[in-house]
Amino acid sequence: MSLHRLTSLQIGVPDVAAAISYYRDFGLTADEAGALSTVDGGKQLRFVPSRQRRLLEIGIGVDDPDDLDRIGVQLTALAVPFTRTADTLVADEPVAALRTRVTVSPRLARPRTEPALYNGPGRIDRPNVRAPGVERTNPVQPRKLGHVVIGSLDQDATQRFFTEGIGLKVSDRVPGLASFLRCSEDHHNILVQQAPLNFLHHTAWEVDDVDEVGRGATAMLEGNPERHVWGLGRHHIGSNFFWYLKDPAGNFSEYYSDIDCVVDDQLWKPGVVEGMKGLYSWGPPPPPSFLAPEDLAALMTGAHSAR
């Protein structure tokens, strides 16, 4: 796939300073200009002032200008206007006017992380030492931006923009509700769900393993229990471990690890998943506020404000 990763997100929030402070606690690194970075992905998140919380821009990386040429042809076939420079193509998703910036970008050079050793029945792979996960004291730092989940007034139209226009692949879908789309080897990078308005549901950030998911969430909740949303659990679609938290603007942020990867499109068969498996395999039941964030009515009426 010539598309190879999410490069960045730009999000509007009522209180930029509060959002930056939260994501620094979450493990991202902020520079003097307020750009937030992951360990492997570099600058991947930026906040700008906005009366309501909203996703403003999604960045996607491609290999070379020929990829931009192809995307331009595909967007023209959909009658979607775009602007183009030598290394960038910008188009607005027509349902929510969500800006999508496709740039010629280097692929991530990611050093291999060796898996932790686990003991099991009849299998002692870690003799005479404690599990590394319980000995770690370093702050959890996300390795990269993994995916973003958006609600759309017209899920089919938004999916068509990202698949037929930009070139993402469908990994799995939940009929009438959501499609899991990928622009990399990860199972999904953009999830589009049918919703009563266009909004940002959550962003997801990869950490090394399930211990880092748990350690990161535990640290975030110390002294701030109101940040908890849902977790610990494991998704069926994508297979990833998860824990969701809430930032000051009302956006959800997810620590995740061990997501399914598609390295050969011919060997992956997109599935149709229904019922609770569309949400999770195990863990506590999802709270109503995860399925329908508490500020949706305020967003719909324009009454949203920072909390």
Side-chain angles (χ1 to χ4, degrees):
M1 179 185 287
S2 56
L3 308 180
H4 57 78
R5 65 179 172 113
L6 286 185
T7 55
S8 62
L9 299 176
Q10 185 180 101
I11 300 173
V13 294
D15 189 336
V16 170
I20 292 174
S21 178
Y22 171 92
Y23 284 93
R24 290 181 69 175
D25 290 347
F26 193 78
L28 305 187
T29 302
D31 66 15
E32 293 182 355
L36 291 147
S37 298
T38 58
V39 173
D40 295 335
K43 296 178 182 180
Q44 295 202 276
L45 181 61
R46 185 177 295 276
F47 291 100
V48 297
S50 174
R51 188 172 62 85
Q52 294 184 314
R53 68 178 184 90
R54 58 186 299 238
L55 179 61
L56 300 172
E57 180 178 295
I58 294 177
I60 295 174
V62 296
D63 286 326
D64 56 55
D66 289 344
D67 300 322
L68 300 181
D69 292 339
R70 185 186 64 258
I71 292 171
V73 171
Q74 294 167 176
L75 291 172
T76 299
L78 294 178
V80 174
F82 62 89
T83 59
R84 169 73 194 276
T85 64
D87 62 357
T88 302
L89 181 150
V90 178
D92 288 342
E93 186 277 320
V95 176
L98 171 63
R99 187 166 59 243
T100 301
R101 184 179 301 273
V102 186
T103 57
V104 176
S105 305
R107 293 185 177 240
L108 292 185
R110 309 188 73 197
R112 175 180 169 84
T113 300
E114 294 301 325
L117 297 177
Y118 288 86
N119 294 330
R123 187 189 75 249
I124 301 176
D125 292 336
R126 193 189 66 248
N128 309 316
V129 293
R130 299 185 196 279
V134 303
E135 297 281 19
R136 296 171 188 163
T137 58
N138 58 300
V140 171
Q141 293 184 289
R143 303 296 295 266
K144 69 172 184 178
L145 168 66
H147 56 269
V148 58
V149 174
I150 58 176
S152 172
L153 282 165
D154 189 336
Q155 188 258 338
D156 287 338
T158 300
Q159 176 179 328
R160 188 161 54 250
F161 169 82
F162 282 114
T163 55
E164 297 179 21
I166 304 299
L168 279 76
K169 305 289 187 181
V170 177
S171 294
D172 289 308
R173 63 187 181 90
V174 180
L177 178 61
S179 293
F180 294 73
L181 313 177
R182 68 182 185 274
C183 62
S184 74
E185 293 179 344
D186 288 350
H187 175 274
H188 57 281
N189 302 106
I190 298 176
L191 191 159
V192 182
Q193 64 182 31
Q194 186 66 38
L197 77 163
N198 304 309
F199 79 106
L200 170 62
H201 186 275
H202 75 264
T203 60
W205 306 84
E206 184 186 46
V207 293
D208 286 345
D209 55 32
V210 68
D211 279 301
E212 297 299 88
V213 173
R215 289 201 318 116
T218 299
M220 288 290 287
L221 296 175
E222 289 179 358
N224 297 280
E226 73 283 357
R227 290 172 168 175
H228 175 72
V229 177
W230 183 30
L232 172 71
R234 188 160 196 168
H235 288 301
H236 177 81
I237 301 179
S239 300
N240 46 303
F241 294 103
F242 66 81
W243 200 319
Y244 295 90
L245 304 153
K246 184 168 68 173
D247 75 16
N251 305 302
F252 300 153
S253 58
E254 175 191 2
Y255 288 118
Y256 79 89
S257 69
D258 190 26
I259 199 165
D260 292 334
C261 292
V262 181
V263 297
D264 187 335
D265 291 338
Q266 300 303 313
L267 298 180
W268 180 268
K269 181 179 179 180
V272 177
V273 183
E274 299 188 75
M276 293 308 292
K277 282 189 174 181
L279 286 170
Y280 71 127
S281 179
W282 59 257
S289 61
F290 179 82
L291 304 176
E294 295 170 348
D295 65 349
L296 284 193
L299 290 171
M300 292 174 71
T301 60
H304 181 269
S305 63
R307 292 172 182 258

